[in-house]
Amino acid sequence: MASRHPGLQVEVRDIWNNRTYFEQLLFLSDLFDASVVTPSIFLGNQAWFGFGSEQQSQIEAAVQECLQSGCADTLELAESGRLDPQKGVSPSDESNAGTTRIFVPWVGEVDGRTLSLPLLTLIVGLLDSLNPCAFFVLLFLLSLLIHLRSRPRMLLVGGIFIFFSGLFYFLFMAAWLNLFLSFGQLRGLTLAAGVLAVVMGAVNIKDFFFFKQGVSLSIPDSAKPKLFERMRGLLKASSLISMIGATIVLAAAANMYELLCTAGFPMIFTRVLTLHELATWEYYLFLVLYNLVYIIPLTAILLIFTFTLGASKLSEWQGRVLKLLSGTMMFMLGMVLVLRPMLLNRMLVSIGLLGASVLITWLVAGLWQRFAHE
């Protein structure tokens, strides 16, 4: 529009890199009784939150009117108390609700324009669940429980272990969530989360090529004897109640070490979550969805192991491939957080990151095996 109307001056205020601009947007959004979204466009007494074809035609008409009769700066009007708020059509208005809001299982009704958030929850939760550390602990526990010669007891102990592992993981993510919510939408915090994710992703990728050499996000060898001792203690439990209690304690101890493997994913996800303006209960509902996805592979392992009595186990090679996959995805998510965090609002970006991670992992693992064999 600026090219078509030489008299039009457009000032872009980047809220990501300037705290003052972000506070101005909060101030104006409150006066116009609107949610904080981008882009937010202000012209005189008018404002548009979000952008689409209808907003474009309204803004064009308002610009032509202002060029003829003049318009004062919106922020100056607001600060002087002379603002007469006239909100234009917003994509989130009730008039458009029928076309932009859809129902997502487990999550409820969401805005179709931000469907990427439920999709991102499923993708990141699934990748986080492919945790070789968690697999290692669960498989070792189940291999010991075989000596009980009782499938029901294996299912009970394994199920309790998985449930409390998911619960402790949920509490860990809730702590991340509240940390990010308390600091608000500071660009520096998003940048720090992205840099940390890139570093953790690079370490996981390194583990594929140089397994357990140098810095590694794995369960330390020094911690394994204590874990093994706790697991063997389950077999000596005098009653079912004491066995359940010991399983809960084991889940808490194991979860602390498992976080070393993929702690970057919950950090990335909770940061992206806080970049959306949601009700408090919606934040926690997404955490519940994430953790339900997180325990699916563990539950599958429990069922397969129980009914095959240990015929299927995780090899070192499979663990390295999982490290490569999670590291690649974590690295790319971190780079997006560093460079363009709002891209994660787009469904195609989430799908593209997953597809690229799987493709890169498949190519690298295949070439590695081929050259190693030769």
Side-chain angles (χ1 to χ4, degrees), residues 55-98:
Q55 289 77 21
Q56 180 175 341
S57 60
Q58 284 193 350
I59 294 170
E60 184 104 34
V63 166
Q64 291 175 349
E65 183 179 344
C66 282
L67 288 174
Q68 293 175 0
S69 56
C71 282
D73 179 82
T74 307
L75 194 60
E76 291 179 1
L77 290 173
E79 291 174 342
S80 64
R82 295 180 292 118
L83 181 67
D84 180 22
Q86 300 172 25
K87 187 169 65 169
V89 174
S90 167
S92 58
D93 284 350
E94 290 298 320
S95 59
N96 291 334

Side-chain angles (χ1 to χ4, degrees), residues 187 334-346 349:
R187 172 59 177 152
M335 289 301 296
V336 174
L337 275 182
V338 169
L339 300 175
R340 295 287 299 277
M342 296 310 291
L343 283 178
L344 294 176
N345 285 337
R346 300 180 183 178
V349 172

Side-chain angles (χ1 to χ4, degrees), residues 45-325:
N45 286 311
Q46 299 185 69
W48 295 265
F49 298 88
F51 187 76
S53 58
E54 193 165 358
Q55 289 77 21
Q56 180 175 341
S57 60
Q58 284 193 350
I59 294 170
E60 184 104 34
V63 166
Q64 291 175 349
E65 183 179 344
C66 282
L67 288 174
Q68 293 175 0
S69 56
C71 282
D73 179 82
T74 307
L75 194 60
E76 291 179 1
L77 290 173
E79 291 174 342
S80 64
R82 295 180 292 118
L83 181 67
D84 180 22
Q86 300 172 25
K87 187 169 65 169
V89 174
S90 167
S92 58
D93 284 350
E94 290 298 320
S95 59
N96 291 334
T99 58
T100 63
R101 302 193 70 81
I102 60 175
F103 181 80
V104 177
W106 298 101
V107 176
E109 207 174 56
V110 298
D111 191 331
R113 293 174 299 113
T114 58
L115 181 61
S116 182
L117 185 54
L119 182 65
L120 189 71
T121 305
L122 296 175
I123 291 175
V124 179
L126 180 60
L127 284 168
D128 193 6
S129 69
L130 302 178
N131 186 334
C133 296
F135 290 175
F136 168 78
V137 174
L138 180 61
L139 287 168
F140 190 86
L141 172 63
L142 293 174
S143 66
L144 291 177
L145 292 176
I146 287 179
H147 298 289
L148 296 176
R149 301 184 182 278
S150 172
R151 283 192 174 94
R153 186 156 291 197
M154 288 178 67
L155 287 173
L156 175 64
V157 174
I160 292 173
F161 178 83
I162 291 171
F163 173 79
F164 279 94
S165 292
L167 177 61
F168 293 134
Y169 210 67
F170 172 86
L171 295 175
F172 170 75
M173 294 183 67
W176 270 116
L177 175 69
N178 283 282
L179 174 67
F180 288 133
L181 286 175
S182 64
F183 280 96
Q185 303 207 22
L186 291 175
R187 172 59 177 152
L189 196 60
T190 304
L191 183 63
V195 170
L196 186 57
V198 168
V199 172
M200 297 180 73
V203 172
N204 273 334
I205 293 172
K206 183 274 303 177
D207 276 348
F208 172 80
F209 298 100
F210 306 100
F211 192 58
K212 292 186 177 181
Q213 296 182 31
V215 177
S216 179
L217 299 177
S218 304
I219 299 178
D221 290 336
S222 58
K224 289 180 180 179
K226 287 186 177 180
L227 282 176
F228 295 158
E229 185 179 345
R230 290 181 183 274
M231 293 179 196
R232 294 188 181 97
L234 289 174
L235 301 180
K236 302 175 183 178
S238 57
S239 66
L240 182 60
I241 298 298
S242 59
M243 179 177 287
I244 291 173
T247 303
I248 296 172
V249 174
L250 173 64
N255 210 253
M256 297 302 296
Y257 296 115
E258 290 168 11
L259 288 172
L260 291 172
C261 288
T262 55
F265 281 129
M267 178 191 63
I268 294 169
F269 176 73
T270 49
R271 185 52 185 157
V272 173
L273 196 58
T274 57
L275 296 180
H276 293 73
E277 187 181 5
L278 304 173
T280 302
W281 66 270
E282 290 179 302
Y283 286 124
Y284 285 98
L285 191 60
F286 274 109
L287 292 190
V288 170
L289 174 62
Y290 185 100
N291 281 272
L292 285 174
V293 175
Y294 176 78
I295 65 173
I296 287 175
L298 295 176
T299 304
I301 288 175
L302 171 62
L303 295 175
I304 293 171
F305 197 98
T306 300
F307 290 103
T308 63
L309 292 178
S312 301
K313 295 182 180 179
L314 184 72
S315 67
E316 179 184 304
W317 170 252
Q318 291 169 332
R320 288 171 59 190
V321 172
L322 288 178
K323 281 270 191 180
L324 177 61
L325 176 61

